[in-house]
Amino acid sequence: MKRKSLITVITLVLVITMALGVFSGISNAATTKPPEPIPYNNEISYTENDDGTTTVYKANTEITSATIPETINGKKVTRIGSFSSCAKLKTISIPNTVTSIKQAALANCTSLESITIPDSVTTIEYEAFFECSALKNIKLPKNLKVIDSYTFYHCTSLKSIEIPNSVETIEWAAFEGAGLEKVVLPESVKTVSMWSFGYMDTLKEIYFPKGIESIYNTIDGTAFGDIPTSQLTIYGYKGTVAEEVANDLGYKFVARSEVPFSDIKTSDWYYNSVKYCTDNKIIYGTSDTTFSPNNNLTRANLVTILWRMEGSPKSAEGQKFSDVKSQEYYYDAVNWAGSKGIVNGYEDGKFRPNNNITREQLATILMNYARFKGKDTSSRADLSKFKDQNGISSYAKDSISWAVAKKVMSGKVNGTMADPSGTAIRAEAAAMIQNYCNYVGR
C-alpha cells in the first residue's frame, strides 16, 4: 500500500513538472518574436537564417518588381519569404540559389502574370500563389515532389500548366478554382487529394498516369469538387483507380494505352497528342517502332492527315497538280484536298508535296479544312501579344488569328512568339490536330 502511494506521488510530481515545462515553453514561444526583416533596397528586405543563409521578403506592398540577388552580405539567398498582397507586383526574378518558396510567399499578388522558378527549388509551401488571379504562365522546377495545398487556389487566368515528372502528390485544393482547361499528370504522380481540382468551371480533360494509386473520393468530397459530370472527361488506364473513380462519380472515362513507339515517352509534352492521333489512325509512325516527333512535316504529310480524318475518300477530280504523280502515297489525298479548296498550288501549277510546311501554312490549311467542313471560322484573336506578329504573311493573318482564337495553335516562348515561318514538326502537328478535334470538332 505504501509502495503504491509512493508511486502515485512520484507520478503526480512528474506530471506537474512536465506540465510546468510545457507551459513555460509555450510562454517563452509566445514572447519570442521572429526577427524583423532588414531593408536591402527599395524592392526587398531580408533576414539571416541559423544555417548561414538568408531569406528575402518584400520591402513594402507597393513594389512593382523584385530582383532577388544570389547573395546578401556574402550569405547565399535560399528562401523566398512573404511578398504577399503586393497587388502591383508584376515581375519577380528568382536566382538558382533559392531552394524554398515559403508559405503564402506570393499570395494575393494579383498583378503577377508569369514566373519562372529555377530547378534549384525543391519545396513550394502551401498557398504560395493563393489567388494570384492574373497568373497565366509558370515554370515549375524539375525536382518538385509535392504541389502543396492551395498553391494555385483561384488562379483563374492560369489556363495550362506543365507538371514536372517528379511530382508525386497533389495536395488538398492545390488547383481549386483555377482556370485550367486540361491537366496532364506525369507518371510520377501517385496521390491526388481532396478538392485538388475542385470547383473548376473550365476543366474539361484530366489525364492520369498508369501508376496512380489514390484519387480522393469519399462522402466528405472528391478530388473534383462539384465539377458537373457533363463537363469533365477522365483519361486513364483500364483497371486503375482512375477508371474506378470515373465510373463511381459518373464522369466519362476514356482508356489510355501505351504508344508503341520507342522514341515517345509518357513524360513528353506531346505524348497525349501523339497517342490521340495514332489511336484514331490519323497520323502513323515513320516505322513500326518510331514516330520521329522532331522530324519536319511536309505539305503532303499534312494533306494526308486531313484526308485520313475524312475517311480517305476518292476524289472525283482528275490530276490537279503537275508534280503529284499517281504512284505516290499522297496522290489521292492531294487531289481530294485540291478539289475541295483545302489546298492551293503555286503559280506554276505545282503543289511541291515534299516542301516542309510552315506554321502559318499549317494554320491556313486547317482553317480551309474547317470551312470545308462547315465549321464556324469567324473567331479571331488579338495577335498583338506576339512579338513577331509583323512577320506573319498577309495571307495567313486571318488563319493564325482564327487558330489562336480556337485554341488550335498556341505561341512559342511562353506564348510570345507566333513563329509563322518556322517549320512545323510532327509533334506540333499532332498537338494541333488534337486541339482541332477537341475545340473545333472533327
Side-chain angles (χ1 to χ4, degrees), residues 12-30:
L12 286 171
V13 170
L14 287 172
V15 170
I16 293 169
T17 302
M18 291 174 65
L20 289 172
V22 169
F23 285 118
S24 175
I26 292 173
S27 176
N28 288 337

Side-chain angles (χ1 to χ4, degrees), residues 185-255:
L185 299 178
E187 286 301 307
S188 55
V189 172
K190 304 298 182 186
T191 303
V192 173
S193 307
M194 186 174 182
W195 303 319
S196 292
F197 301 98
Y199 308 99
M200 295 171 68
D201 295 335
T202 55
L203 187 63
K204 295 180 180 178
E205 304 172 25
I206 185 164
Y207 293 77
F208 285 99
K210 199 167 190 177
I212 189 72
E213 296 174 357
S214 174
I215 301 172
Y216 199 93
N217 177 29
T218 74
I219 58 173
D220 300 320
T222 77
F224 312 108
D226 64 350
I227 295 178
T229 55
S230 60
Q231 175 184 314
L232 179 64
T233 299
I234 292 177
Y235 293 79
Y237 291 89
K238 295 285 289 183
T240 67
V241 67
E243 181 181 24
E244 178 185 333
V245 168
N247 292 338
D248 188 35
L249 297 177
Y251 291 113
K252 180 182 177 182
F253 177 77
V254 175

Side-chain angles (χ1 to χ4, degrees), residues 11-50:
T11 301
L12 286 171
V13 170
L14 287 172
V15 170
I16 293 169
T17 302
M18 291 174 65
L20 289 172
V22 169
F23 285 118
S24 175
I26 292 173
S27 176
N28 288 337
T31 58
T32 301
K33 293 183 178 180
E36 287 292 326
I38 303 166
Y40 178 73
N41 56 28
N42 60 356
E43 295 179 352
I44 64 172
S45 57
Y46 70 97
T47 58
E48 296 184 353
N49 306 321
D50 292 339

Side-chain angles (χ1 to χ4, degrees), residues 392-412:
I392 301 172
S393 299
S394 57
Y395 80 85
K397 286 187 182 294
D398 274 352
S399 301
I400 289 183
S401 180
W402 167 81
V404 172
K406 298 299 288 185
K407 302 175 186 175
V408 173
M409 175 183 281
S410 59
K412 294 184 173 182

Side-chain angles (χ1 to χ4, degrees), residues 133-336:
S133 54
L135 186 65
K136 296 178 181 178
N137 301 299
I138 185 167
K139 179 185 179 297
L140 293 176
K142 66 180 181 181
N143 296 313
L144 189 67
K145 295 289 187 185
V146 176
I147 297 181
D148 215 336
S149 299
Y150 300 98
T151 298
F152 297 103
Y153 180 86
H154 280 200
C155 291
T156 52
S157 297
L158 188 64
K159 300 302 181 185
S160 63
I161 190 169
E162 184 173 343
I163 299 173
N165 193 31
S166 56
V167 171
E168 298 174 356
T169 303
I170 314 290
E171 286 288 9
W172 280 40
F175 292 96
E176 183 177 333
L180 297 172
E181 298 177 356
K182 173 182 176 181
V183 173
V184 178
L185 299 178
E187 286 301 307
S188 55
V189 172
K190 304 298 182 186
T191 303
V192 173
S193 307
M194 186 174 182
W195 303 319
S196 292
F197 301 98
Y199 308 99
M200 295 171 68
D201 295 335
T202 55
L203 187 63
K204 295 180 180 178
E205 304 172 25
I206 185 164
Y207 293 77
F208 285 99
K210 199 167 190 177
I212 189 72
E213 296 174 357
S214 174
I215 301 172
Y216 199 93
N217 177 29
T218 74
I219 58 173
D220 300 320
T222 77
F224 312 108
D226 64 350
I227 295 178
T229 55
S230 60
Q231 175 184 314
L232 179 64
T233 299
I234 292 177
Y235 293 79
Y237 291 89
K238 295 285 289 183
T240 67
V241 67
E243 181 181 24
E244 178 185 333
V245 168
N247 292 338
D248 188 35
L249 297 177
Y251 291 113
K252 180 182 177 182
F253 177 77
V254 175
R256 301 174 67 181
S257 61
E258 300 291 348
V259 172
F261 299 118
S262 61
D263 54 356
I264 300 288
K265 302 189 299 295
T266 53
S267 58
D268 289 328
W269 67 265
Y270 45 78
Y271 170 83
N272 289 306
S273 297
V274 170
K275 181 188 178 306
Y276 176 89
C277 289
T278 54
D279 281 356
N280 287 279
K281 296 180 172 54
I282 296 172
I283 303 179
Y284 297 149
T286 51
S287 75
D288 289 342
T289 59
T290 59
F291 184 80
S292 305
N294 295 310
N295 280 14
N296 292 332
L297 190 78
T298 67
R299 287 166 55 81
N301 291 157
L302 177 61
V303 169
T304 302
I305 289 169
L306 300 180
W307 177 68
R308 288 191 190 121
M309 287 173 62
E310 204 55 26
S312 304
K314 287 281 187 182
S315 174
E317 303 288 333
Q319 183 171 329
K320 184 175 178 66
F321 304 107
S322 61
D323 59 344
V324 176
K325 306 302 181 184
S326 59
Q327 68 268 25
E328 300 293 347
Y329 76 89
Y330 48 76
Y331 178 79
D332 285 333
V334 173
N335 285 331
W336 163 79

